[in-house]
Amino acid sequence: MKILRKTHLLMMCLFAALVAGCSSSGSLPPATTHASLTSSIDNYNYLIGPGDNLNIFVWRNPEISGSFIVRPDGKITTSLVEDVAVSGKTPTQLARDLEQELSKYIRDPIVTVSVTGFSGPFSEQVRVIGEATNPRAVNYQENMTLLDLMIAVGGLTEFAAGDKAKLIRVVDGTQREYAVRVDALVRDGEISNNVDILPGDILIIPETWF
């Protein structure tokens, strides 16, 4: 019995030492910042991302045309070209790139790319966290505003401090913080508090303190 107790005590000491050793290894570096290619609502173009379904049509070459799912690594594989990087490109850019690659095998290829099942890169999605009814990542749409975003996430919870919300946006490679008054916009209807949203924006809605 004493031997079992000593063995148990020794194992507990070893476990405590292991945990202590792991906890002193330091902290992880901050997440890498990926700026959106859209800096203004006037120059928005949809960018392909993982999970998108691409319909690639090669004129007069149905055998190499088809539907392709973008892999998590942002690439696709066609019957002639392996591991084509497609994430972060517009459909038109991808079509031109494929024409260049296919010209090694086909004379004067003409390629058309269309997208269905839109997901886009994470850098192009808008995230809402905190006291929204349905906090989540929202696919950006042209001319999206703060009001459109709040409708997409179902508005505010009863515990939200909407007028203390913060909008995080990457500007010139640096994350900047902007104050937004979501409560005044959504609950009081003060439309002057509506602002443009850009791809990659993060909206943080804190909880109110009574």
Side-chain angles (χ1 to χ4, degrees), residues 188-206:
D188 299 333
E190 297 181 9
I191 201 66
S192 59
N193 291 291
N194 198 20
V195 297
D196 291 325
I197 297 295
L198 290 178
D201 283 353
I202 302 173
L203 179 63
I204 304 173
I205 306 172

Side-chain angles (χ1 to χ4, degrees), residues 54-127:
L54 305 182
N55 293 314
I56 299 176
F57 174 74
V58 185
W59 188 54
R60 290 184 177 177
N61 290 272
E63 69 280 0
I64 59 174
S65 301
S67 181
F68 305 87
I69 299 292
V70 182
R71 303 193 310 245
D73 63 357
K75 299 178 181 180
I76 62 171
T77 295
T78 69
S79 57
L80 286 181
V81 185
E82 294 183 351
D83 294 336
V84 182
V86 301
S87 185
K89 297 179 180 179
T90 68
T92 300
Q93 288 172 335
L94 177 57
R96 301 294 83 78
D97 290 347
L98 287 173
E99 287 174 350
Q100 185 174 359
E101 287 294 327
L102 291 174
S103 64
K104 301 174 184 178
Y105 315 97
I106 302 171
R107 183 176 179 180
D108 299 327
I110 300 176
V111 178
T112 302
V113 176
S114 59
V115 184
T116 59
F118 301 95
S119 295
F122 282 136
S123 62
E124 300 298 295
Q125 295 179 0
V126 181
R127 301 172 181 86

Side-chain angles (χ1 to χ4, degrees), residues 136-181:
R136 61 190 180 95
V138 178
N139 288 335
Y140 182 83
Q141 296 186 40
E142 185 180 19
N143 297 326
M144 178 180 279
T145 67
L146 179 60
L147 181 59
D148 298 322
L149 182 61
M150 292 312 301
I151 292 172
V153 297
L156 298 168
T157 70
E158 60 179 314
F159 305 108
D163 283 350
K164 295 182 179 180
K166 301 294 182 182
L167 183 73
I168 310 300
R169 177 175 294 169
V170 178
V171 180
D172 296 328
T174 302
Q175 286 187 330
R176 295 188 182 180
E177 184 179 287
Y178 302 89
V180 288
R181 300 187 63 206

